[in-house]
Amino acid sequence: MSALLDVEELQVTFGRTAAVRGASFRVERGETHCLVGESGCGKSVTALAVMNLLARGGQRSAKKMSFAGTDLTSLSDREMARLRGNRMAMIFQEPMTSLNPAFTIGSQMAEVMTRHKGGSRAAALDRAAELMGRVGITAPGMRLGQFPHQLSGGLRQRVMIAMALMCDPELLIADEPTTALDVTVQAQILRLLAGLKRELGLSILLITHDLGIVARVADHVSVMYAGEVVERAPTADLFRAPQHPYTRGLLSCVPVPGRVQRDRPLGSIPGVVPAIGPGFAGCAFRSRCAHADETCTRAIPRHQAGDAHDYLCRLEPDWAELQPA
Amino acid sequence: MTAAIEVENLRCEFRVHTGLMSAEKRVVAVDDVTFSVPAGSVLGIVGESGCGKSTLARLILGLLKPTGGSVLVDGKRLFDLDRKARARLIQPVFQDPFASLNPRRRIKDIVALPLAAQGTFSRGEIERRVGGILERVGLSAAMGERMPAQLSGGQRQRAAIARALVLEPRIVICDEPTSALDVSVQAQILNLLADLRRDLGLTYLFISHNLAVVEHVASEVAVMYLGRFVERNETDALFRKPRHPYTQALLESVLTPEPGKGVPDIGLGDAMPDPSNIPPGCRFNPRCRIAVERCRHEAPKPMVRPPRGMVECHLA
Ligand SMILES: Nc1ncnc2c1ncn2[C@@H]1O[C@H](COP(=O)(O)OP(=O)(O)O)[C@@H](O)[C@H]1O
Ligand SMILES: Nc1ncnc2c1ncn2[C@@H]1O[C@H](COP(=O)(O)OP(=O)(O)O)[C@@H](O)[C@H]1O
Ligand code: SF4
Ligand code: SF4
Ligand SMILES: [Mg+2]
Ligand SMILES: [Mg+2]
């Protein structure tokens, strides 16, 4: 079966800034796909480009961008609006940006449903209450009558998830949904998302900068750096045998509880992400890469390291490391 | 050995007005906390947002007057010292260097400010010291000429660290110093802070909501919940054998990069702690998995635990 969301060679520019430079990835049905990378690498812009929600001045183009067989680039704004919130829904890091402070939770949830599916307000409120119970909110009836500011950050994110589920979407795009939350609440929200995926067959495109989250929830991973997907792999393969020097560097930076060795420095990646202007060629990681040589300023090949594992680097795969354990 | 920081029965309350008609609320942000930090060590403090970590930091820095109790820094009461003497003794590094660096000044002038404020350093001396500390934190002389907006997040945090260390203080209070940074940059800054501590013999109070970061930098860790230390111990002991149910839940909720493990069920429920409404008995009881009847009316007392720790729980 073909992928639910298939993006090939996505490019997004804001004037002279190239925010996304040929990103390709696929979200399979019923899977969680993580886009991971450090701030500014183009994760949010990629998601917004898929949803056709780019800020003014943002220009997108792609060799292919299809959702459930529909070519997204060919849809009119109206047709796209009909998909959004309906068959594909999105939640953000800060729920307050997408909740209206002047309306109750109940009326905002009901509105999503009546806009896309019609039906009565009473029926929509019933569904809202049912979904709030589903996402682990106690006393949904009381919560429906409350305003967004009356809820804690964790509860607001649960409300956003319930709202995104109102129309039974096939794809949920979640952009750093737990970044603003405490670790305890984060674990609860991620557990909830994993359960929804399993029970509703939901596909999830999860954007995060946190490799711990990736390891625990993703089926497949795309690692982004400076607007490109530099490595794609099934999750277990990525953590077992990362091939791109950036992925390797990133993994070495993460302190792992129980395994840290005090008085030993953490791994780190020297330098900073370069500014990428128009006409930039070659590997964007070369200013920070220990393996860089003069060929890294030219076109970089994409190497295949396994069935669904590839990466963008001049270095050959390390086959010894890639052998199944 | 004298303690670098000595805190006794420290308490801090805020009175907040919630609305036009509603009565004043009392927020107890720090609730009778006692501990000491030996010179040259690192005390890490962890806990969920709103548990009082930053308030504790501001109390120790003398930026906030306690409602009760006392703070001694290097054996002295900060309120007895003038600003200059205080600045030579203890310095902060905060989460958001952008908010704490004057946007209209060059980096080297920002770093020079604490020296200039002392009024005892010559121009040449100031220049020499600023140059030295910038180099020490990994900023080039060219970076010193720039404005804060022209630096990356990691470089700005280096500048903030340079400013904190230029007076060669004994003690540095780090409040979420890497929380706004990417992991690769966080690693650079943590390594830098560790080097500086070793080379200059500094004492750190290190606040973070990231347990792995604290495990990496701290020699001792305190777990804070609703204004109190509910558990404290040497880092290895605390991470290997957490005794308080809240510490256990915090540790379980850390998502290590280990594929296939899934997301743990930590069973804390959706009742969030509210410092204006601290529950009777054990303050953790509404979220505690193993609470018994006694927990609902009797607050647990601190009990000593080896090797050098304490815990506040009837069942631990
Ligand atoms: N509205 C915008 N106008 C101009 N540049 C933008 C805009 N939104 C994002 N960018 C740029 O695009 C790049 C990628 O941003 P983003 O996708 O938000 O990164 P992240 O991976 O942190 O989500 C950044 O360099 C950012 O500055
Ligand atoms: N100046 C203040 N006025 C009123 N309440 C405050 C003030 N500063 C902090 N608080 C409250 O005290 C509690 C502890 O806050 P804080 O120390 O910032 O927590 P943390 O740093 O652990 O997130 C919170 O409930 C916060 O709202
Ligand atoms: S292409 Fe060159 S610079 Fe880029 S990651 Fe590979 S070796 Fe490093
Ligand atoms: S005293 Fe009781 S409620 Fe408090 S942490 Fe211990 S078991 Fe839980
Ligand atoms: Mg983003
Ligand atoms: Mg704080």
Side-chain angles (χ1 to χ4, degrees):
Chain A
M1 204 161 48
S2 64
L4 179 62
L5 179 68
D6 192 345
V7 176
E8 273 180 41
E9 305 272 318
L10 174 67
Q11 313 262 356
V12 182
T13 56
F14 292 93
R16 292 174 57 81
T17 309
V20 180
R21 306 181 303 129
S24 305
F25 60 95
R26 274 200 296 274
V27 182
E28 304 291 341
R29 288 172 201 270
E31 283 200 352
T32 299
H33 189 105
C34 275
L35 281 184
V36 66
E38 298 181 279
S39 53
C41 70
K43 305 181 296 294
S44 297
V45 167
T46 298
L48 293 170
V50 169
M51 297 290 274
N52 198 18
L53 285 174
L54 286 171
R56 281 175 89 94
Q59 293 286 334
R60 66 168 192 185
S61 67
K63 195 162 132 202
K64 179 174 183 188
M65 189 152 61
S66 77
F67 171 72
T70 308
D71 176 11
L72 292 177
T73 54
S74 71
L75 295 185
S76 69
D77 287 353
R78 268 190 68 171
E79 288 167 320
M80 195 60 216
R82 222 175 292 147
L83 271 186
R84 270 197 310 263
N86 188 10
R87 294 182 64 196
M88 51 206 288
M90 186 160 175
I91 59 175
F92 299 90
Q93 175 173 335
E94 184 31 78
M96 283 312 264
T97 55
S98 27
L99 286 169
N100 188 328
F103 292 94
T104 61
I105 300 296
S107 72
Q108 295 186 58
M109 289 185 71
E111 205 269 336
V112 177
M113 176 100 164
T114 50
R115 171 160 31 106
H116 287 291
K117 303 254 152 131
S120 72
R121 192 180 141 84
L125 281 172
D126 281 348
R127 172 142 178 92
E130 175 204 324
L131 283 171
M132 287 177 83
R134 178 66 194 78
V135 300
I137 297 176
T138 45
M142 184 255 289
R143 299 296 184 194
L144 284 175
Q146 288 188 312
F147 291 90
H149 70 264
Q150 293 175 289
L151 307 181
S152 69
L155 272 177
R156 268 186 228 134
Q157 202 56 287
R158 283 182 203 259
V159 164
M160 287 310 300
I161 293 169
M163 197 184 286
L165 296 178
M166 283 297 278
C167 298
D168 248 328
E170 289 146 79
L171 177 67
L172 177 68
I173 301 183
D175 188 354
E176 308 259 10
T178 59
T179 301
L181 304 174
D182 280 309
V183 284
T184 48
V185 184
Q186 164 167 289
Q188 292 169 317
I189 298 285
L190 291 174
R191 208 175 147 78
L192 168 64
L193 287 177
L196 293 170
K197 180 193 101 167
R198 208 167 44 239
E199 287 152 31
L200 308 177
L202 194 63
S203 307
I204 301 176
L205 177 62
L206 181 73
I207 292 176
T208 179
H209 65 278
D210 185 333
L211 287 159
I213 294 180
V214 174
R216 301 306 190 94
V217 306
D219 297 295
H220 281 89
V221 192
S222 296
V223 181
M224 290 189 77
Y225 186 79
E228 288 175 309
V229 172
V230 295
E231 184 159 9
R232 308 187 282 190
T235 307
D237 295 353
L238 189 93
F239 284 87
R240 190 172 54 79
Q243 295 298 301
H244 196 282
Y246 175 63
T247 314
R248 292 174 186 242
L250 204 55
L251 280 166
S252 75
C253 295
V254 184
V256 179
R259 245 188 269 158
V260 302
Q261 291 178 293
R262 234 160 309 120
D263 305 326
R264 279 277 201 82
L266 288 167
S268 65
I269 304 176
V272 294
V273 183
I276 307 279
F280 184 92
C283 176
F285 190 56
R286 65 178 182 261
S287 59
R288 307 173 73 185
C289 181
H291 307 280
D293 72 8
E294 68 291 343
T295 61
C296 302
T297 58
R298 303 190 209 124
I300 306 294
R302 190 171 278 282
H303 278 107
Q304 206 70 34
D307 269 351
H309 188 172
D310 60 29
Y311 64 99
L312 198 59
C313 171
R314 72 173 181 85
L315 301 173
E316 295 291 330
D318 182 340
W319 292 113
E321 193 176 81
L322 283 159
Q323 292 298 323
Chain B
M1 197 156 65
T2 51
I5 302 172
E6 217 163 348
V7 164
E8 236 179 76
N9 304 111
L10 193 62
R11 190 177 164 82
C12 182
E13 278 180 30
F14 298 107
R15 293 178 184 277
V16 287
H17 297 271
T18 45
L20 275 180
M21 303 300 287
S22 52
E24 194 177 67
K25 272 203 307 188
R26 267 182 32 192
V27 173
V28 184
V30 174
D31 193 0
D32 195 8
V33 169
T34 299
F35 65 93
S36 71
V37 186
S41 70
V42 182
L43 175 65
I45 298 184
V46 297
E48 289 163 302
S49 53
C51 72
K53 303 182 295 297
S54 294
T55 303
L56 180 62
R58 288 162 64 211
L59 289 165
I60 293 172
L61 284 160
L63 300 174
L64 199 64
K65 227 181 158 70
T67 315
S70 67
V71 178
L72 294 183
V73 177
D74 203 22
K76 308 174 204 47
R77 282 168 38 108
L78 283 189
F79 284 100
D80 295 341
L81 300 178
D82 66 12
R83 281 184 54 179
K84 291 183 200 168
R86 230 189 265 184
R88 288 194 303 268
L89 190 58
I90 186 167
Q91 285 282 339
V93 174
F94 293 116
Q95 170 172 350
D96 182 2
F98 208 46
S100 62
L101 301 178
N102 185 335
R104 278 182 286 279
R105 283 171 165 261
R106 288 176 303 179
I107 293 298
K108 68 173 195 186
D109 297 330
I110 293 173
V111 173
L113 210 60
L115 291 168
Q118 292 288 324
T120 51
F121 295 95
S122 70
R123 231 196 246 173
E125 179 69 6
I126 291 179
E127 213 157 286
R128 198 182 59 74
R129 289 197 181 214
V130 170
I133 195 71
L134 283 179
E135 191 186 335
R136 188 66 193 78
V137 301
L139 291 175
S140 63
M143 293 284 181
E145 302 294 331
R146 296 201 191 167
M147 306 303 239
Q150 294 170 303
L151 299 187
S152 70
Q155 289 164 341
R156 283 199 287 264
Q157 197 56 291
R158 286 176 194 271
I161 292 170
R163 180 182 55 182
L165 293 185
V166 74
L167 277 174
E168 299 173 4
R170 312 293 322 132
I171 299 152
V172 182
I173 308 290
C174 304
D175 190 356
E176 307 265 8
T178 62
S179 300
L181 304 175
D182 280 316
V183 277
S184 68
V185 183
Q186 163 173 290
Q188 296 171 5
I189 297 294
L190 291 177
N191 290 340
L192 171 66
L193 285 169
D195 288 349
L196 290 168
R197 188 185 71 77
R198 210 170 23 245
D199 297 350
L200 308 177
L202 301 171
T203 304
Y204 291 157
L205 187 86
F206 192 100
I207 295 173
S208 176
H209 66 271
N210 185 326
L211 279 93
V213 164
V214 166
E215 185 186 12
H216 185 73
V217 301
S219 35
E220 256 188 279
V221 178
V223 179
M224 214 168 164
Y225 190 80
L226 273 179
R228 281 186 79 83
F229 282 5
V230 294
E231 183 165 8
R232 197 191 72 234
N233 215 329
E234 285 178 0
T235 307
D236 290 338
L238 189 112
F239 276 77
R240 251 187 301 107
K241 193 164 189 269
R243 295 164 196 267
H244 197 285
Y246 178 63
T247 312
Q248 292 166 358
L250 269 186
L251 286 176
E252 277 169 43
S253 59
V254 177
L255 302 177
T256 53
E258 297 171 284
K261 279 203 160 178
V263 185
D265 178 9
I266 51 160
L268 284 181
D270 70 356
M272 290 313 281
D274 172 5
S276 69
N277 186 17
I278 294 178
C282 172
R283 59 196 59 217
F284 183 59
N285 88 71
R287 298 170 83 194
C288 183
R289 268 187 290 201
I290 58 167
V292 294
E293 185 49 35
R294 180 180 176 204
C295 306
R296 288 180 233 294
H297 46 78
E298 188 189 331
K301 300 215 164 18
M303 288 178 294
V304 175
R305 285 292 177 273
R308 262 179 47 94
M310 58 74 85
V311 62
E312 286 190 351
C313 168
H314 294 308
L315 305 183

